[in-house]
Amino acid sequence: MELPALLGGTPVRKDKIFYGRQWVTEEDIEAVREVLEGTYITCGPTVSEAEKVLEEYTGAKHAVLVNSGTSALHCACIAAGIGEGDEVITTPLTFAASANCALYCGARPVFADVDPETYNIDPESIRAHITPRTKAVIAVDFTGQVVKVKEIRAICDEFGLVFIEDAAHSIGSAYEGVKVGNLADMTCFSFHPVKTVTSGEGGAILTNSDEYYEKLVLAHTHGITHDEELMEDDPHEGPWYYEQISLGYNYRMTDIQAALLISQMKKIDRFVERRKEIVARYDEAFADVPGIIVQKNIPESDTSRHLYIIRLDLSKLRCTRREFFDAMSAENVQCQIHYVPVYWFPYYRHLGYEKGLCPNAEKIYEGIMSIPLYPKMTEMDVEDTVHAVKKLAEFYKK
Ligand SMILES: *Cc1c(COP(=O)(O)O)cnc(C)c1O
């Protein structure tokens, strides 16, 4: 049996790999250079062009580009009319932004539990948490697998809730043949470098609703409009004239970032294919490894996986999750944990949230670990990762 590097054995790899990273090429750099040498580096035509690219790719009617996935979620909450005293239902197994966006609006995030096998928000738990104050559901396509759209849509229709999809992980995925971006009332993407395509920092909201679109546009640029039809006072004051008609923010993306995004979107199909290949290899490699639980695939979801999570069955291993994690690092395979349940953070604790709210999510958190998954991985990187997981699972087997 191979000795873990942590205990003095030879590491599986010489150089370290990380759980995720961007893939930026010469073409991307050239696209950015062109914008930098042009007239507009922000508020120019490249942003509108990138919005068109996203509309065409997803099939959604409108896209609004913003400067982060977090801003996208905040804008969606504003457009949904979420405010003081409202409740928004989301999952605890997500990045903090999925819940923080409700707090930005003075609303209270309410955490519904997740499915124990897919780790996605459980529609029955959403239903159980609805009160007269509930205004929206922010469902996260965790790791890229699309949430149970049909069930959530039905609940939202029954109770008059806005369905916001946090699709930071799932650009490129589809649900029963319909692309993400075209499923919920509003869909939020992130273009952070670990996500499927990147603009450095960036995000977007996709919607088929003209009404939400109008509000999203105002929210991301100060609540200022140049549209005469929306103005309250005399639009003919002069050619300089515009009006602020609501309170918005400066959440605009630059043309520099938009150029990078357009260039990356040209490669998204290849990125998605490569992610799928790696996931298929991992699924097969870990299917029968004692101590390792593989995330269950959702049949309705044609998934572009953002994260690959292995879950340790600690009852079958002679180690803690921390030991396994450190042992993976020593093999030079740097993992990450996605995520600490949001309401466990001190900020949420101080708001009155207590441990135990979502038992499935808390239980899942104890054993999970994201292993490397990104399109730029070589076959060797993938096989080294498989080797490291199997080596440690074998060594620590009870
Ligand atoms: C990355 C991420 C966000 C936030 O996106 P940023 O672009 O980093 O602001 C929101 N929700 C989830 C699930 C994410 O993974």
PDB file of all heavy atoms in Angstrom, residues 36-68:
ATOM      1  N   LEU A  36      -8.790  48.105 -25.350  1.00  0.00           N
ATOM      2  CA  LEU A  36      -7.926  49.074 -24.650  1.00  0.00           C
ATOM      3  C   LEU A  36      -7.367  50.122 -25.604  1.00  0.00           C
ATOM      4  O   LEU A  36      -7.146  51.270 -25.226  1.00  0.00           O
ATOM      5  CB  LEU A  36      -6.775  48.334 -23.950  1.00  0.00           C
ATOM      6  CG  LEU A  36      -7.152  47.668 -22.632  1.00  0.00           C
ATOM      7  CD1 LEU A  36      -6.009  46.777 -22.152  1.00  0.00           C
ATOM      8  CD2 LEU A  36      -7.508  48.694 -21.565  1.00  0.00           C
ATOM      9  N   GLU A  37      -7.170  49.725 -26.849  1.00  0.00           N
ATOM     10  CA  GLU A  37      -6.622  50.657 -27.833  1.00  0.00           C
ATOM     11  C   GLU A  37      -7.715  51.458 -28.543  1.00  0.00           C
ATOM     12  O   GLU A  37      -7.419  52.347 -29.326  1.00  0.00           O
ATOM     13  CB  GLU A  37      -5.769  49.892 -28.858  1.00  0.00           C
ATOM     14  CG  GLU A  37      -4.472  49.409 -28.235  1.00  0.00           C
ATOM     15  CD  GLU A  37      -3.634  48.521 -29.151  1.00  0.00           C
ATOM     16  OE1 GLU A  37      -4.158  48.057 -30.185  1.00  0.00           O
ATOM     17  OE2 GLU A  37      -2.461  48.282 -28.796  1.00  0.00           O
ATOM     18  N   GLY A  38      -8.969  51.126 -28.249  1.00  0.00           N
ATOM     19  CA  GLY A  38     -10.091  51.791 -28.925  1.00  0.00           C
ATOM     20  C   GLY A  38     -10.601  53.002 -28.148  1.00  0.00           C
ATOM     21  O   GLY A  38      -9.921  53.523 -27.258  1.00  0.00           O
ATOM     22  N   THR A  39     -11.830  53.427 -28.484  1.00  0.00           N
ATOM     23  CA  THR A  39     -12.388  54.649 -27.907  1.00  0.00           C
ATOM     24  C   THR A  39     -12.977  54.430 -26.524  1.00  0.00           C
ATOM     25  O   THR A  39     -12.778  55.230 -25.622  1.00  0.00           O
ATOM     26  CB  THR A  39     -13.505  55.189 -28.836  1.00  0.00           C
ATOM     27  OG1 THR A  39     -12.982  55.185 -30.175  1.00  0.00           O
ATOM     28  CG2 THR A  39     -13.913  56.594 -28.464  1.00  0.00           C
ATOM     29  N   TYR A  40     -13.725  53.341 -26.365  1.00  0.00           N
ATOM     30  CA  TYR A  40     -14.454  53.129 -25.117  1.00  0.00           C
ATOM     31  C   TYR A  40     -13.860  51.985 -24.316  1.00  0.00           C
ATOM     32  O   TYR A  40     -13.822  50.856 -24.807  1.00  0.00           O
ATOM     33  CB  TYR A  40     -15.910  52.761 -25.413  1.00  0.00           C
ATOM     34  CG  TYR A  40     -16.664  53.853 -26.127  1.00  0.00           C
ATOM     35  CD1 TYR A  40     -16.868  53.789 -27.502  1.00  0.00           C
ATOM     36  CD2 TYR A  40     -17.189  54.931 -25.407  1.00  0.00           C
ATOM     37  CE1 TYR A  40     -17.584  54.789 -28.152  1.00  0.00           C
ATOM     38  CE2 TYR A  40     -17.895  55.931 -26.050  1.00  0.00           C
ATOM     39  CZ  TYR A  40     -18.088  55.849 -27.428  1.00  0.00           C
ATOM     40  OH  TYR A  40     -18.788  56.824 -28.073  1.00  0.00           O
ATOM     41  N   ILE A  41     -13.441  52.281 -23.101  1.00  0.00           N
ATOM     42  CA  ILE A  41     -13.050  51.162 -22.244  1.00  0.00           C
ATOM     43  C   ILE A  41     -14.151  50.858 -21.228  1.00  0.00           C
ATOM     44  O   ILE A  41     -14.147  49.838 -20.563  1.00  0.00           O
ATOM     45  CB  ILE A  41     -11.678  51.368 -21.555  1.00  0.00           C
ATOM     46  CG1 ILE A  41     -11.639  52.650 -20.739  1.00  0.00           C
ATOM     47  CG2 ILE A  41     -10.555  51.370 -22.591  1.00  0.00           C
ATOM     48  CD1 ILE A  41     -10.359  52.782 -19.930  1.00  0.00           C
ATOM     49  N   THR A  42     -15.124  51.769 -21.117  1.00  0.00           N
ATOM     50  CA  THR A  42     -16.346  51.442 -20.373  1.00  0.00           C
ATOM     51  C   THR A  42     -17.506  52.204 -21.005  1.00  0.00           C
ATOM     52  O   THR A  42     -17.281  53.168 -21.740  1.00  0.00           O
ATOM     53  CB  THR A  42     -16.206  51.730 -18.862  1.00  0.00           C
ATOM     54  OG1 THR A  42     -17.296  51.131 -18.157  1.00  0.00           O
ATOM     55  CG2 THR A  42     -16.174  53.215 -18.552  1.00  0.00           C
ATOM     56  N   CYS A  43     -18.750  51.755 -20.697  1.00  0.00           N
ATOM     57  CA  CYS A  43     -19.966  52.382 -21.249  1.00  0.00           C
ATOM     58  C   CYS A  43     -19.952  52.408 -22.780  1.00  0.00           C
ATOM     59  O   CYS A  43     -20.556  53.294 -23.392  1.00  0.00           O
ATOM     60  CB  CYS A  43     -20.149  53.806 -20.732  1.00  0.00           C
ATOM     61  SG  CYS A  43     -20.338  53.888 -18.964  1.00  0.00           S
ATOM     62  N   GLY A  44     -19.282  51.460 -23.392  1.00  0.00           N
ATOM     63  CA  GLY A  44     -19.193  51.433 -24.853  1.00  0.00           C
ATOM     64  C   GLY A  44     -19.974  50.283 -25.451  1.00  0.00           C
ATOM     65  O   GLY A  44     -20.761  49.617 -24.758  1.00  0.00           O
ATOM     66  N   PRO A  45     -19.760  50.018 -26.735  1.00  0.00           N
ATOM     67  CA  PRO A  45     -20.560  49.021 -27.447  1.00  0.00           C
ATOM     68  C   PRO A  45     -20.215  47.565 -27.118  1.00  0.00           C
ATOM     69  O   PRO A  45     -21.024  46.675 -27.389  1.00  0.00           O
ATOM     70  CB  PRO A  45     -20.246  49.313 -28.922  1.00  0.00           C
ATOM     71  CG  PRO A  45     -18.909  49.973 -28.904  1.00  0.00           C
ATOM     72  CD  PRO A  45     -18.809  50.717 -27.609  1.00  0.00           C
ATOM     73  N   THR A  46     -19.042  47.321 -26.545  1.00  0.00           N
ATOM     74  CA  THR A  46     -18.649  45.924 -26.308  1.00  0.00           C
ATOM     75  C   THR A  46     -19.531  45.275 -25.240  1.00  0.00           C
ATOM     76  O   THR A  46     -19.802  44.072 -25.296  1.00  0.00           O
ATOM     77  CB  THR A  46     -17.161  45.844 -25.913  1.00  0.00           C
ATOM     78  OG1 THR A  46     -16.427  46.695 -26.790  1.00  0.00           O
ATOM     79  CG2 THR A  46     -16.630  44.445 -26.031  1.00  0.00           C
ATOM     80  N   VAL A  47     -19.990  46.097 -24.277  1.00  0.00           N
ATOM     81  CA  VAL A  47     -20.885  45.563 -23.250  1.00  0.00           C
ATOM     82  C   VAL A  47     -22.195  45.097 -23.894  1.00  0.00           C
ATOM     83  O   VAL A  47     -22.653  43.970 -23.635  1.00  0.00           O
ATOM     84  CB  VAL A  47     -21.132  46.616 -22.137  1.00  0.00           C
ATOM     85  CG1 VAL A  47     -22.270  46.179 -21.217  1.00  0.00           C
ATOM     86  CG2 VAL A  47     -19.858  46.839 -21.334  1.00  0.00           C
ATOM     87  N   SER A  48     -22.776  45.947 -24.759  1.00  0.00           N
ATOM     88  CA  SER A  48     -24.035  45.545 -25.423  1.00  0.00           C
ATOM     89  C   SER A  48     -23.820  44.312 -26.282  1.00  0.00           C
ATOM     90  O   SER A  48     -24.686  43.430 -26.372  1.00  0.00           O
ATOM     91  CB  SER A  48     -24.567  46.661 -26.325  1.00  0.00           C
ATOM     92  OG  SER A  48     -24.382  47.894 -25.713  1.00  0.00           O
ATOM     93  N   GLU A  49     -22.656  44.254 -26.921  1.00  0.00           N
ATOM     94  CA  GLU A  49     -22.339  43.091 -27.760  1.00  0.00           C
ATOM     95  C   GLU A  49     -22.290  41.811 -26.916  1.00  0.00           C
ATOM     96  O   GLU A  49     -22.831  40.771 -27.318  1.00  0.00           O
ATOM     97  CB  GLU A  49     -20.965  43.332 -28.378  1.00  0.00           C
ATOM     98  CG  GLU A  49     -20.779  42.876 -29.790  1.00  0.00           C
ATOM     99  CD  GLU A  49     -19.354  43.204 -30.221  1.00  0.00           C
ATOM    100  OE1 GLU A  49     -19.035  44.411 -30.429  1.00  0.00           O
ATOM    101  OE2 GLU A  49     -18.556  42.264 -30.296  1.00  0.00           O
ATOM    102  N   ALA A  50     -21.674  41.914 -25.757  1.00  0.00           N
ATOM    103  CA  ALA A  50     -21.573  40.746 -24.876  1.00  0.00           C
ATOM    104  C   ALA A  50     -22.958  40.349 -24.370  1.00  0.00           C
ATOM    105  O   ALA A  50     -23.251  39.154 -24.199  1.00  0.00           O
ATOM    106  CB  ALA A  50     -20.637  41.037 -23.707  1.00  0.00           C
ATOM    107  N   GLU A  51     -23.811  41.335 -24.124  1.00  0.00           N
ATOM    108  CA  GLU A  51     -25.181  41.016 -23.702  1.00  0.00           C
ATOM    109  C   GLU A  51     -25.895  40.230 -24.795  1.00  0.00           C
ATOM    110  O   GLU A  51     -26.597  39.252 -24.514  1.00  0.00           O
ATOM    111  CB  GLU A  51     -25.949  42.303 -23.342  1.00  0.00           C
ATOM    112  CG  GLU A  51     -25.450  42.891 -22.028  1.00  0.00           C
ATOM    113  CD  GLU A  51     -26.025  44.255 -21.657  1.00  0.00           C
ATOM    114  OE1 GLU A  51     -26.542  44.962 -22.549  1.00  0.00           O
ATOM    115  OE2 GLU A  51     -25.929  44.628 -20.475  1.00  0.00           O
ATOM    116  N   LYS A  52     -25.684  40.626 -26.044  1.00  0.00           N
ATOM    117  CA  LYS A  52     -26.292  39.888 -27.175  1.00  0.00           C
ATOM    118  C   LYS A  52     -25.776  38.458 -27.229  1.00  0.00           C
ATOM    119  O   LYS A  52     -26.543  37.521 -27.480  1.00  0.00           O
ATOM    120  CB  LYS A  52     -25.953  40.577 -28.495  1.00  0.00           C
ATOM    121  CG  LYS A  52     -26.855  41.720 -28.789  1.00  0.00           C
ATOM    122  CD  LYS A  52     -27.203  41.854 -30.272  1.00  0.00           C
ATOM    123  CE  LYS A  52     -28.120  43.062 -30.416  1.00  0.00           C
ATOM    124  NZ  LYS A  52     -27.399  44.327 -30.012  1.00  0.00           N
ATOM    125  N   VAL A  53     -24.489  38.312 -27.011  1.00  0.00           N
ATOM    126  CA  VAL A  53     -23.893  36.963 -27.029  1.00  0.00           C
ATOM    127  C   VAL A  53     -24.579  36.072 -25.982  1.00  0.00           C
ATOM    128  O   VAL A  53     -24.921  34.915 -26.259  1.00  0.00           O
ATOM    129  CB  VAL A  53     -22.366  37.037 -26.786  1.00  0.00           C
ATOM    130  CG1 VAL A  53     -21.777  35.660 -26.504  1.00  0.00           C
ATOM    131  CG2 VAL A  53     -21.670  37.691 -27.969  1.00  0.00           C
ATOM    132  N   LEU A  54     -24.802  36.624 -24.793  1.00  0.00           N
ATOM    133  CA  LEU A  54     -25.441  35.833 -23.730  1.00  0.00           C
ATOM    134  C   LEU A  54     -26.894  35.530 -24.065  1.00  0.00           C
ATOM    135  O   LEU A  54     -27.392  34.436 -23.782  1.00  0.00           O
ATOM    136  CB  LEU A  54     -25.365  36.572 -22.387  1.00  0.00           C
ATOM    137  CG  LEU A  54     -23.976  36.696 -21.765  1.00  0.00           C
ATOM    138  CD1 LEU A  54     -24.025  37.545 -20.499  1.00  0.00           C
ATOM    139  CD2 LEU A  54     -23.398  35.315 -21.425  1.00  0.00           C
ATOM    140  N   GLU A  55     -27.581  36.506 -24.678  1.00  0.00           N
ATOM    141  CA  GLU A  55     -28.980  36.284 -25.078  1.00  0.00           C
ATOM    142  C   GLU A  55     -29.047  35.171 -26.116  1.00  0.00           C
ATOM    143  O   GLU A  55     -29.877  34.268 -26.033  1.00  0.00           O
ATOM    144  CB  GLU A  55     -29.593  37.577 -25.635  1.00  0.00           C
ATOM    145  CG  GLU A  55     -29.866  38.613 -24.550  1.00  0.00           C
ATOM    146  CD  GLU A  55     -30.000  40.042 -25.099  1.00  0.00           C
ATOM    147  OE1 GLU A  55     -29.955  40.214 -26.345  1.00  0.00           O
ATOM    148  OE2 GLU A  55     -30.130  40.971 -24.277  1.00  0.00           O
ATOM    149  N   GLU A  56     -28.140  35.232 -27.088  1.00  0.00           N
ATOM    150  CA  GLU A  56     -28.146  34.197 -28.128  1.00  0.00           C
ATOM    151  C   GLU A  56     -27.788  32.833 -27.554  1.00  0.00           C
ATOM    152  O   GLU A  56     -28.396  31.825 -27.900  1.00  0.00           O
ATOM    153  CB  GLU A  56     -27.177  34.567 -29.258  1.00  0.00           C
ATOM    154  CG  GLU A  56     -27.848  35.439 -30.295  1.00  0.00           C
ATOM    155  CD  GLU A  56     -26.866  36.185 -31.178  1.00  0.00           C
ATOM    156  OE1 GLU A  56     -25.730  35.694 -31.350  1.00  0.00           O
ATOM    157  OE2 GLU A  56     -27.245  37.263 -31.673  1.00  0.00           O
ATOM    158  N   TYR A  57     -26.821  32.805 -26.675  1.00  0.00           N
ATOM    159  CA  TYR A  57     -26.368  31.529 -26.124  1.00  0.00           C
ATOM    160  C   TYR A  57     -27.460  30.859 -25.286  1.00  0.00           C
ATOM    161  O   TYR A  57     -27.660  29.650 -25.369  1.00  0.00           O
ATOM    162  CB  TYR A  57     -25.093  31.719 -25.302  1.00  0.00           C
ATOM    163  CG  TYR A  57     -24.590  30.427 -24.711  1.00  0.00           C
ATOM    164  CD1 TYR A  57     -23.988  29.463 -25.513  1.00  0.00           C
ATOM    165  CD2 TYR A  57     -24.754  30.150 -23.355  1.00  0.00           C
ATOM    166  CE1 TYR A  57     -23.562  28.258 -24.992  1.00  0.00           C
ATOM    167  CE2 TYR A  57     -24.328  28.955 -22.819  1.00  0.00           C
ATOM    168  CZ  TYR A  57     -23.729  28.007 -23.631  1.00  0.00           C
ATOM    169  OH  TYR A  57     -23.309  26.815 -23.105  1.00  0.00           O
ATOM    170  N   THR A  58     -28.146  31.666 -24.459  1.00  0.00           N
ATOM    171  CA  THR A  58     -29.124  31.076 -23.528  1.00  0.00           C
ATOM    172  C   THR A  58     -30.517  30.997 -24.133  1.00  0.00           C
ATOM    173  O   THR A  58     -31.347  30.219 -23.664  1.00  0.00           O
ATOM    174  CB  THR A  58     -29.240  31.905 -22.238  1.00  0.00           C
ATOM    175  OG1 THR A  58     -29.653  33.238 -22.585  1.00  0.00           O
ATOM    176  CG2 THR A  58     -27.923  31.965 -21.499  1.00  0.00           C
ATOM    177  N   GLY A  59     -30.789  31.838 -25.115  1.00  0.00           N
ATOM    178  CA  GLY A  59     -32.142  31.917 -25.657  1.00  0.00           C
ATOM    179  C   GLY A  59     -33.041  32.854 -24.869  1.00  0.00           C
ATOM    180  O   GLY A  59     -34.223  32.986 -25.170  1.00  0.00           O
ATOM    181  N   ALA A  60     -32.494  33.507 -23.850  1.00  0.00           N
ATOM    182  CA  ALA A  60     -33.301  34.445 -23.057  1.00  0.00           C
ATOM    183  C   ALA A  60     -33.455  35.759 -23.822  1.00  0.00           C
ATOM    184  O   ALA A  60     -32.614  36.118 -24.642  1.00  0.00           O
ATOM    185  CB  ALA A  60     -32.644  34.697 -21.702  1.00  0.00           C
ATOM    186  N   LYS A  61     -34.534  36.494 -23.522  1.00  0.00           N
ATOM    187  CA  LYS A  61     -34.823  37.717 -24.262  1.00  0.00           C
ATOM    188  C   LYS A  61     -33.853  38.838 -23.897  1.00  0.00           C
ATOM    189  O   LYS A  61     -33.409  39.593 -24.761  1.00  0.00           O
ATOM    190  CB  LYS A  61     -36.271  38.137 -23.968  1.00  0.00           C
ATOM    191  CG  LYS A  61     -36.752  39.295 -24.818  1.00  0.00           C
ATOM    192  CD  LYS A  61     -38.253  39.486 -24.655  1.00  0.00           C
ATOM    193  CE  LYS A  61     -38.714  40.689 -25.486  1.00  0.00           C
ATOM    194  NZ  LYS A  61     -40.063  41.132 -25.067  1.00  0.00           N
ATOM    195  N   HIS A  62     -33.560  38.986 -22.612  1.00  0.00           N
ATOM    196  CA  HIS A  62     -32.712  40.093 -22.168  1.00  0.00           C
ATOM    197  C   HIS A  62     -31.551  39.612 -21.308  1.00  0.00           C
ATOM    198  O   HIS A  62     -31.738  38.742 -20.461  1.00  0.00           O
ATOM    199  CB  HIS A  62     -33.504  41.069 -21.299  1.00  0.00           C
ATOM    200  CG  HIS A  62     -34.717  41.631 -21.946  1.00  0.00           C
ATOM    201  ND1 HIS A  62     -34.658  42.535 -22.980  1.00  0.00           N
ATOM    202  CD2 HIS A  62     -36.037  41.432 -21.689  1.00  0.00           C
ATOM    203  CE1 HIS A  62     -35.886  42.871 -23.332  1.00  0.00           C
ATOM    204  NE2 HIS A  62     -36.750  42.214 -22.566  1.00  0.00           N
ATOM    205  N   ALA A  63     -30.404  40.265 -21.496  1.00  0.00           N
ATOM    206  CA  ALA A  63     -29.272  40.068 -20.586  1.00  0.00           C
ATOM    207  C   ALA A  63     -28.812  41.446 -20.122  1.00  0.00           C
ATOM    208  O   ALA A  63     -28.772  42.385 -20.917  1.00  0.00           O
ATOM    209  CB  ALA A  63     -28.133  39.354 -21.300  1.00  0.00           C
ATOM    210  N   VAL A  64     -28.495  41.563 -18.839  1.00  0.00           N
ATOM    211  CA  VAL A  64     -27.892  42.791 -18.318  1.00  0.00           C
ATOM    212  C   VAL A  64     -26.556  42.395 -17.698  1.00  0.00           C
ATOM    213  O   VAL A  64     -26.519  41.597 -16.758  1.00  0.00           O
ATOM    214  CB  VAL A  64     -28.786  43.462 -17.246  1.00  0.00           C
ATOM    215  CG1 VAL A  64     -28.122  44.721 -16.711  1.00  0.00           C
ATOM    216  CG2 VAL A  64     -30.160  43.780 -17.821  1.00  0.00           C
ATOM    217  N   LEU A  65     -25.491  42.951 -18.242  1.00  0.00           N
ATOM    218  CA  LEU A  65     -24.162  42.641 -17.704  1.00  0.00           C
ATOM    219  C   LEU A  65     -23.878  43.536 -16.508  1.00  0.00           C
ATOM    220  O   LEU A  65     -24.182  44.732 -16.552  1.00  0.00           O
ATOM    221  CB  LEU A  65     -23.089  42.924 -18.753  1.00  0.00           C
ATOM    222  CG  LEU A  65     -22.683  41.824 -19.710  1.00  0.00           C
ATOM    223  CD1 LEU A  65     -21.477  42.294 -20.511  1.00  0.00           C
ATOM    224  CD2 LEU A  65     -22.354  40.533 -18.976  1.00  0.00           C
ATOM    225  N   VAL A  66     -23.284  42.955 -15.485  1.00  0.00           N
ATOM    226  CA  VAL A  66     -22.902  43.712 -14.292  1.00  0.00           C
ATOM    227  C   VAL A  66     -21.487  43.322 -13.865  1.00  0.00           C
ATOM    228  O   VAL A  66     -20.857  42.485 -14.509  1.00  0.00           O
ATOM    229  CB  VAL A  66     -23.910  43.485 -13.131  1.00  0.00           C
ATOM    230  CG1 VAL A  66     -25.247  44.152 -13.430  1.00  0.00           C
ATOM    231  CG2 VAL A  66     -24.109  42.003 -12.849  1.00  0.00           C
ATOM    232  N   ASN A  67     -21.009  43.967 -12.805  1.00  0.00           N
ATOM    233  CA  ASN A  67     -19.603  43.797 -12.464  1.00  0.00           C
ATOM    234  C   ASN A  67     -19.291  42.589 -11.572  1.00  0.00           C
ATOM    235  O   ASN A  67     -18.141  42.335 -11.260  1.00  0.00           O
ATOM    236  CB  ASN A  67     -19.059  45.083 -11.834  1.00  0.00           C
ATOM    237  CG  ASN A  67     -19.805  45.451 -10.580  1.00  0.00           C
ATOM    238  OD1 ASN A  67     -20.762  44.782 -10.194  1.00  0.00           O
ATOM    239  ND2 ASN A  67     -19.390  46.515  -9.920  1.00  0.00           N
ATOM    240  N   SER A  68     -20.319  41.853 -11.147  1.00  0.00           N
ATOM    241  CA  SER A  68     -20.063  40.599 -10.419  1.00  0.00           C
ATOM    242  C   SER A  68     -21.342  39.778 -10.331  1.00  0.00           C
ATOM    243  O   SER A  68     -22.448  40.307 -10.556  1.00  0.00           O
ATOM    244  CB  SER A  68     -19.545  40.863  -8.994  1.00  0.00           C
ATOM    245  OG  SER A  68     -20.591  41.330  -8.163  1.00  0.00           O
TER     246      SER A  68
END
